[in-house]
Amino acid sequence: MKLISPKLHGIIDYMLIIFLFMSPVAFSMTSETSAQVYTLAVVQMLLTIVTNYSFGMFRAIPLKVHGIIELLLCVGMVVAAFTIFKYDERARGYYLGLAIFWFIVVVFSDYDKSRDGVKAPIL
């Protein structure tokens, strides 16, 4: 059962971008971790604005591909938590928590764009 519609997924994406940009200051992260979180925020912002759904601006990437990329980001964050951040308890916890949240959003999102009413752009 898919509980998150494409429109709600778009809202969650933009809220996540805001959270990512605020996190380094709110959680007093190291400069290295801050740079990585800001990079992740920019990647998520670019992915969100080029996705073909109601909150996308350029609508070049299909919503299903958006979901696959987000799933790969979740896996990457879990791997990073146990490799890059294995000695930084706060960063590891942050990345694991973020990955779990993101995974839940991906699993419960409905990637059927026909319910969103968005059509692909005509090039």
Side-chain angles (χ1 to χ4, degrees):
M1 183 163 126
K2 302 297 181 173
L3 302 173
I4 301 173
S5 69
K7 284 187 180 186
L8 180 57
H9 188 101
I11 292 168
I12 292 169
D13 281 346
Y14 281 106
M15 297 309 292
L16 179 63
I17 292 165
I18 292 168
F19 175 76
L20 289 169
F21 275 118
M22 291 175 30
S23 290
V25 174
F27 297 116
S28 301
M29 294 179 178
T30 64
S31 59
E32 180 181 321
T33 305
S34 295
Q36 292 166 347
V37 171
Y38 285 136
T39 302
L40 188 59
V42 170
V43 167
Q44 179 63 28
M45 185 173 62
L46 292 173
L47 178 63
T48 300
I49 64 174
V50 299
T51 299
N52 186 20
Y53 66 156
S54 59
F55 287 94
M57 295 173 156
F58 299 106
R59 299 183 180 175
I61 296 176
L63 190 56
K64 287 184 182 183
V65 175
H66 174 103
I68 292 168
I69 292 170
E70 285 185 337
L71 185 61
L72 292 173
L73 286 171
C74 290
V75 172
M77 284 188 288
V78 171
V79 170
F82 289 107
T83 57
I84 298 170
F85 302 116
K86 68 180 177 180
Y87 299 113
D88 187 352
E89 292 290 327
R90 290 177 44 204
R92 182 175 35 185
Y94 176 83
Y95 270 80
L96 286 176
L98 189 60
I100 290 168
F101 170 77
W102 222 331
F103 182 75
I104 290 169
V105 170
V106 169
V107 168
F108 288 107
S109 289
D110 184 3
Y111 294 105
D112 180 20
K113 67 180 175 200
S114 65
R115 289 183 16 170
D116 194 26
V118 176
K119 297 187 186 258
I122 298 173
L123 300 175

